Amino acid sequence: MSDGTSTPGGIGILRDGAVLRLTLARPDRLNALGTTGFADLADAVDEADADDGIRVVVLTGKGRAFCAGADLGTVVDAHTVEAAARAVLAVRRTGKPVLAAVNGAAAGAGCSLALACDLVIARRSAYFLLAFAGVGLMPDAGATAFVPAAIGRARAMRMALLGERIPAPTAAEWGLIGEVVDDADFDEAVAAMTARLASGPPLAYARIKRAVNEAALPELTRALENEREGQAALLRSGDFAEGVAAFRDRRDPKFTGR
């Protein structure tokens, strides 16, 4: 096992034989990522795709969260939206199976990242949250495609408009994720699934991914384009400025529709 490296954007990269483990490693920010972090993640997945020695990619978070989405403590702009979209497209397009080991909160673009993966194992204490409306934004990083494809329009609208936390057991019941395990069994379950994928048929896995994704998510590219357009307008709005200010001041926002 290599000692691993860490990118400027906070992505830990550790290779162990045929397994590449990517860790969102900004625990002081609940692993929220800036533009550089999303870009680093996309680069790491693209590099794994080009490496025949890698058979499976595991994506997880450091500390008590999986990923809190975009880091509102930094500049969040169209470049951030584009970088997050690039990261989810890299996960979808790689022929390697990507396992999301959701160790805690998966919020905003962090929720999108988890759902972009081919398999999701979550701790029972984890939860999923589309937190965008709370700061005057719309879901992005493919969430407008991933979520309704998994759980239907009604539940997707509720998640997007109301920003309710969806506990991992409920997410599994709805079909948003594939598996939830007790916290004490999480590491063992992730290790077992990783080993199974690493020893599986890589050519078949690549074909399965492509066929299932094209059938289940035929409108992902269009959804990302709609998200880019809508988010670009919302990022310039007074409501977004108010949402960020309220987030930083730990108060309820006062949206005006401007």
Side-chain angles (χ1 to χ4, degrees), residues 56-59 97-101 117-121 190 193-194 197:
V56 59
V57 177
V58 179
L59 179 62
V98 183
L99 170 64
C117 296
D118 306 303
L119 295 169
V120 180
I121 297 178
V190 170
M193 183 64 73
T194 301
L197 292 169

Side-chain angles (χ1 to χ4, degrees), residues 25-48:
R26 303 183 74 215
D28 57 320
R29 305 295 298 171
L30 297 180
N31 301 323
L33 299 178
T35 303
T36 301
F38 286 117
D40 288 347
L41 180 60
D43 288 343
V45 175
D46 284 342
E47 290 174 12

